Amino acid sequence: MRMYLPYLRGRQNELLCLRELLDAGKLSPKVIPIIEPVKFSNTFFSTLSKFIEMNHPVIVVRNPKVGSFRNELVEMKNKIESETDEKKKEKLKLIVDGYQTVWNDERLQKAYLVDNDVITKIENNKLNVQDAIMINLDRGNYH
């Protein structure tokens, strides 16, 4: 069976397109998107939720190299810590907890862009390669 694995940066228009295709039932099960998140956004997480809801396979890059996803996640957690208004703090916690639930859903296939950090985690048994897809963007030497 042939599969098509489009690599998407997870920009808003790409995510909205994927959601529309899922809603319309027009995304073939043979098409399994690989999404490298660029922004920590509701659109990203609602799109992943739609894939989970529709039981459609999707691959998510866990160590994105492009965009501000990682920094925005850290900023969101810092914002929670620094928030003094308890109602706002609780609302932010609920949002982040909801995102964490989606991010950790076992139905999302994990992918990692191979770099020295990933190689080290594999060598130290901190990353189970049997549960992940490795994407080598640089054919250079590691270590």
Side-chain angles (χ1 to χ4, degrees):
M1 173 165 70
R2 292 190 173 194
M3 298 269 211
Y4 178 58
L5 303 160
Y7 193 96
L8 306 168
R9 294 283 190 203
R11 293 182 174 92
Q12 184 169 349
N13 289 337
E14 294 169 341
L15 297 170
L16 293 173
C17 179
L18 287 171
R19 270 206 338 241
E20 286 179 27
L21 288 169
L22 284 168
D23 283 336
K26 294 189 176 190
L27 191 60
S28 167
K30 293 180 181 181
V31 175
I32 303 173
I34 300 170
I35 303 173
E36 180 180 3
V38 293
K39 287 190 69 65
F40 185 85
S41 69
N42 186 46
T43 303
F44 173 65
F45 287 101
S46 64
T47 300
L48 293 183
S49 294
K50 180 56 80 172
F51 274 95
I52 292 166
E53 174 190 326
M54 301 297 288
N55 202 29
H56 192 289
V58 63
I59 300 166
V60 181
V61 174
R62 305 302 238 176
N63 62 337
K65 303 292 184 209
V66 176
S68 56
F69 182 82
R70 286 176 147 181
N71 293 338
E72 290 171 355
L73 175 59
V74 170
E75 286 174 21
M76 180 68 94
K77 289 180 179 179
N78 289 340
K79 192 174 181 180
I80 291 171
E81 294 302 316
S82 65
E83 181 59 59
T84 56
D85 183 320
E86 284 303 315
K87 285 185 180 182
K88 286 182 183 178
K89 189 174 202 163
E90 200 55 41
K91 186 176 180 181
L92 288 171
K93 278 184 183 179
L94 286 173
I95 291 169
V96 171
D97 288 348
Y99 288 165
Q100 239 10 87
T101 300
V102 171
W103 184 252
N104 293 325
D105 193 290
E106 63 188 29
R107 292 168 285 186
L108 300 179
Q109 177 67 50
K110 298 174 187 170
Y112 293 89
L113 302 176
V114 177
D115 60 14
N116 283 328
D117 184 47
V118 169
I119 299 293
T120 301
K121 286 179 181 176
I122 292 168
E123 290 173 343
N124 295 326
N125 294 320
K126 293 185 179 189
L127 183 61
N128 185 356
V129 292
Q130 293 177 341
D131 296 334
I133 295 169
M134 298 295 145
I135 301 170
N136 188 0
L137 299 178
D138 178 18
R139 294 184 190 171
N141 295 325
Y142 296 101
H143 280 277

